[in-house]
Amino acid sequence: QVQLVESGGGLVQAGGSLRLSCAASGRTFSVYAMGWFRQAPGKERAFIAGISWSGINTYYADSVEGRFTISRDNAKNTVYLQMNSLKPEDTALYYCAARKDSSYRTAFGFDYWGQGTQVTVSS
């Protein structure tokens, strides 16, 4: 079992930056591939970034490619999402998730979820 807690959300102006953190506790964090999802009001939850257990391999959705960076620190049991050049359409509830296999590029199959942190980007 893995418990995930996101933090770092907030209100930011368009063009600004935020860094989200996801702290994991429970079973060995380093063996899990991790991902970030987001859900905007009235829309389905979308997979936006994934990272392999080692941190070497990453995946980004087209909507965030070049603006967002996913990373992890296995010594701190934490995964991060650095978000730059934020746009109003990035406004959403952001979730981190963990999976027991190595499929860091796949949206389906995540086993554990956090409660989410709200990001609001004003124009």
Side-chain angles (χ1 to χ4, degrees), residues 1-119:
Q1 190 76 10
V2 175
Q3 293 78 43
L4 304 172
V5 179
E6 302 95 336
S7 61
L11 175 63
V12 63
Q13 289 189 332
S17 299
L18 282 174
R19 188 176 81 155
L20 305 183
S21 299
C22 173
S25 61
R27 304 193 71 174
T28 307
F29 171 74
S30 61
V31 303
Y32 294 92
M34 301 293 295
W36 285 97
F37 292 73
R38 68 185 182 187
Q39 187 167 20
K43 295 187 177 181
E44 293 186 353
R45 187 164 57 189
F47 179 47
I48 59 170
I51 190 166
S52 62
W53 68 269
S54 67
I56 293 175
N57 303 108
T58 56
Y59 161 83
Y60 299 97
D62 290 343
S63 57
V64 305
E65 177 85 55
R67 299 187 298 124
F68 290 11
T69 302
I70 188 171
S71 62
R72 67 191 296 163
D73 185 339
N74 287 342
K76 296 182 178 180
N77 287 353
T78 302
V79 63
Y80 305 97
L81 187 68
Q82 177 66 44
M83 306 186 295
N84 299 329
S85 302
L86 282 162
K87 307 173 182 180
E89 50 264 44
D90 293 318
T91 295
L93 188 60
Y94 283 70
Y95 299 89
C96 74
R99 62 189 303 148
K100 293 181 281 188
D101 60 24
S102 61
S103 304
Y104 66 95
R105 301 177 61 88
T106 304
F108 299 103
F110 280 83
D111 302 291
Y112 306 104
W113 296 84
Q115 294 299 307
T117 185
Q118 179 67 38
V119 171

